[in-house]
Amino acid sequence: MTTTTTTAAGTTKSDSVGVGRSRIEGREKVTGAARYAGEFPFTDLAHGWLVLSTVARGRVRSVGEEAVRAMPGVLAVMHHGNAPRINTDYLTLMGPPDGILHVFQDDKVRHAGWPVALVVAETPEQAREAAEALVVEYDVEPHDIAFEADRPGTYTPDGSEAAKGDLEAELAASAAVVDERYTTPEAHHTAMEPHAVTVRWEDGRLEVYDANQGSRAVADQLAATFSLDPSAVHVRSEHVGGAFGGKLVASHHIAAVMAATELQRPVRLAMTRRQVFALTTYRSPTTQRVRLGADTDGRLRAFGHDAQSLTSNIREFVEASAGYGRVMYASDAHLSVNRVVPVDLPTPGFVRAPGEAPGSYAVESALDELAEKLGMDPVELRVRNEPEVGPVSGLPFSSRNLLGCYEEGARRFGWEGRDPRPRVRREGRWLLGTGVAACSFPSGVAPSTASVTAEHDGTFTVRITAADVGTGARTALTQIAADELGVDQGLVRVRIADSDFGQAWLSGGSMGTRSWGWAVMAASRELRDRLSPTAPIPAEGLTVRSDTTELVGALAQKERYSYGAQFAEVAVDVASGEARVRRLLGVFSAGRIINPLTARSQLVGGMTWGISMALHEEAVRDAADGGHVGADFAGYHVAANADVPVIEAHWVDDSDPDDPVGIKGVGEIGIVGTAAAIGNAVWHATGVRHRDLPLRPDRVLVAEAQRSHA
């Protein structure tokens, strides 16, 4: 419910922010009225189907297109021999484009699932049948996809190391030392909506209906790729069925534009689930060595974290897991480094909470092991190593109420009085245990633009190239605008995800609402100040446009992060090896909460993914061909409803009087720490420490057998 009060300016003051509100587009989504990228109807629409390589490395020797072109409905077969040349020499927000976007530019196959052809036909069924009939012959070359700790070729990218003090000396002087290695597997975004795009040329302009995390970023990259003026590309992405870091420009965009240009008719290209696994980014597997040294009172003398991940042979990407501890715990000496090894696989990329999610599993598990060695409560150990400033940077914290998260979480969970001994609680065949972990995630902000228009009829229209990937961003921005304008939410209409609205940060890095909200706040405040209770609004409306570039640049240098603590209770069946989460609680220090309803949804969603990370998710590749084994929801397991208990998400006060926005991110913090809390609970239940994710039943059974024979 929104309340309003009259102000001296003649408008009203709205209490929209901080009030739970259902998503504005919710009714459209549940009734099927919301249209996604693969659902826009166009006259004369053609359908594309990608053909992917069946070898892991080599060259395309021939493409048997003649037979396929004669099949019913086939309009075109595109490949390296006939595709148009595109520009590959440009920079994106993330650096140079990945080589997989250089679609059909040469005959090289750089990894399994490389796009080698596109078949376009009148119907998707005809396109698929023809694509599956296309015979592509290869000259096969040896490939290498092996990933293990310290393998030859591993290197440290520039800027990937942080250090202070003498780690080795402090480890030698420590009363208790943990030196262990932890691993996490390859993981995928698995958004509900597979990647799809619909493209057409209209009045000399490229119109793109897409599912993405940033329409302006996609428009700019397509313009650069096809050497077009930026104004000649228009990208819209009204509704997105999940993204998590995986929906920016991909090879299907490039192929669809090529086809629409050649045929001069609309073209739709939708990926299958298996193609999504092969063609889009993913989380790299990691192997992480954590070394901790502490005095008898639990004070850390040494903190060492060596994280290794893989990258591709075509573009460098670093899963920066070792960055997690750089803001978390005070220590006399610190050494953290991220290393990578290039292999013949697709380039990894940003997956929800990149770096922090796998990094937290290693660090928070190692802290639990240190607490066990010291005979200390795991929460107390973390409290004793709470830093006053950035442990490595020395910068002040913008705000940090992690201690409040511990206190409130322990109270709500009933942590006090917990018996620290493992394997003492049992219900029939189930062993019970509880665990805790802390978490953090950066609270960044990027320059964005927005416009707010006071319409002649008394309503207001906000335009910003934001993206709502299921987070409730559209609703939160409506609340922010209403609050700043001092009007009822019903008078505000927010239009998003249209590249014509100008530059704005994409949905990523838990920076969306903070970045967009600031731009909307600035424009709304200026418009409110320009409105007069006596002067009528002109027929064309009154518009104010904001650009937060200078405001963002003027921010003081501080450590800006969201924090939290997760508490988990698990039950482990020693007969089957099954581990089940019975209770999961998260308490977070996440700044100004715009909409408690959607914020809690994001936090619960993140913790649900943490259950998947702990117990289920693991992409497996066949060493013989480099391809996935089980690249679908039958073979790639995620947490289903039966795996998810009632999850509680709460937050504590986390205000920063010097922050003009006060918003932090909640989209990614929930997953960080959750898997470690579950893993620590499994140790408490069984007395066996598991350092490799996921905690599959077979691993639990093997550990149980080894324990019984010890």
Side-chain angles (χ1 to χ4, degrees), residues 448-455 459-464 481 485 501 518-532 537-538 540-548:
S448 296
T449 63
S451 69
V452 183
T453 301
E455 308 289 358
T459 62
F460 297 84
T461 303
V462 177
R463 294 175 176 85
I464 183 168
L485 291 166
F501 295 162
W518 200 351
V520 170
M521 288 168 63
S524 298
R525 286 175 182 173
E526 183 179 343
L527 178 61
R528 181 190 62 198
D529 292 342
R530 290 174 59 180
L531 289 174
S532 168
I537 296 173
E540 68 276 13
L542 178 63
T543 298
V544 167
R545 185 169 182 81
S546 66
D547 183 337
T548 61

Side-chain angles (χ1 to χ4, degrees), residues 120-393:
V120 187
E122 297 287 356
T123 70
E125 293 81 9
Q126 290 171 331
R128 179 169 191 167
E129 182 181 13
E132 292 176 349
L134 185 68
V135 176
V136 181
E137 296 183 340
Y138 305 90
D139 292 323
V140 181
E141 300 171 2
H143 66 274
D144 177 10
I145 67 166
F147 173 70
E148 67 268 344
D150 301 317
R151 61 156 281 177
T154 299
Y155 69 93
T156 302
D158 293 341
S160 293
E161 183 175 313
K164 74 170 186 179
D166 188 331
L167 181 72
E168 300 300 336
E170 295 297 340
L171 283 169
S174 296
V177 173
V178 169
D179 184 350
E180 299 292 351
R181 192 175 292 277
Y182 306 84
T183 70
T184 61
E186 178 182 325
H188 286 255
H189 304 92
T190 58
M192 182 178 294
E193 176 199 23
H195 291 54
V197 66
T198 305
V199 178
R200 66 173 177 175
W201 285 94
E202 186 174 28
D203 298 329
R205 200 176 193 210
L206 184 65
E207 298 283 345
V208 180
Y209 297 81
D210 191 25
N212 64 53
Q213 294 174 238
S215 293
R216 186 57 183 258
V218 171
D220 288 346
Q221 190 165 351
L222 290 177
T225 300
F226 290 95
S227 301
L228 300 170
D229 188 278
S231 64
V233 183
H234 185 203
V235 178
R236 282 168 279 191
S237 181
E238 184 72 13
H239 299 291
V240 182
F244 314 117
K247 284 185 176 172
L248 287 170
V249 175
S251 49
H252 69 301
H253 291 96
I254 312 301
V257 174
M258 286 180 174
T261 302
E262 176 174 311
L263 297 174
Q264 286 299 299
R265 58 187 286 187
V267 172
R268 174 170 299 149
L269 204 166
M271 293 193 199
T272 65
R273 184 66 62 183
R274 183 169 290 274
Q275 288 174 339
V276 171
F277 270 84
L279 287 171
T280 64
T281 56
Y282 57 97
R283 196 193 306 280
S284 166
T286 71
T287 175
Q288 305 175 58
R289 184 187 181 191
V290 178
R291 294 188 290 168
L292 305 177
D295 290 333
T296 54
D297 63 356
R299 187 181 65 85
L300 284 173
R301 300 178 67 101
F303 184 104
H305 190 180
D306 183 328
Q308 299 173 54
S309 59
L310 64 79
T311 186
S312 74
N313 276 311
I314 54 177
R315 181 177 184 267
E316 182 183 272
F317 179 85
V318 182
E319 182 72 31
S321 303
Y324 171 75
R326 294 173 186 171
V327 297
M328 285 301 290
Y329 300 108
S331 62
D332 295 327
H334 178 107
L335 177 60
S336 57
V337 58
N338 292 296
R339 298 191 287 152
V340 294
V341 59
V343 293
D344 297 323
L345 287 175
T347 308
F350 299 105
V351 180
R352 197 175 194 177
E356 276 76 10
S360 65
Y361 182 73
V363 170
E364 296 296 324
S365 297
L367 276 165
D368 215 59
E369 297 201 54
L370 182 61
E372 178 192 353
K373 286 193 172 188
L374 292 167
M376 183 176 293
D377 180 83
V379 173
E380 179 59 26
L381 176 63
R382 289 167 170 82
V383 170
R384 289 193 184 185
N385 291 287
E386 178 71 2
E388 294 182 359
V389 295
V392 178
S393 69

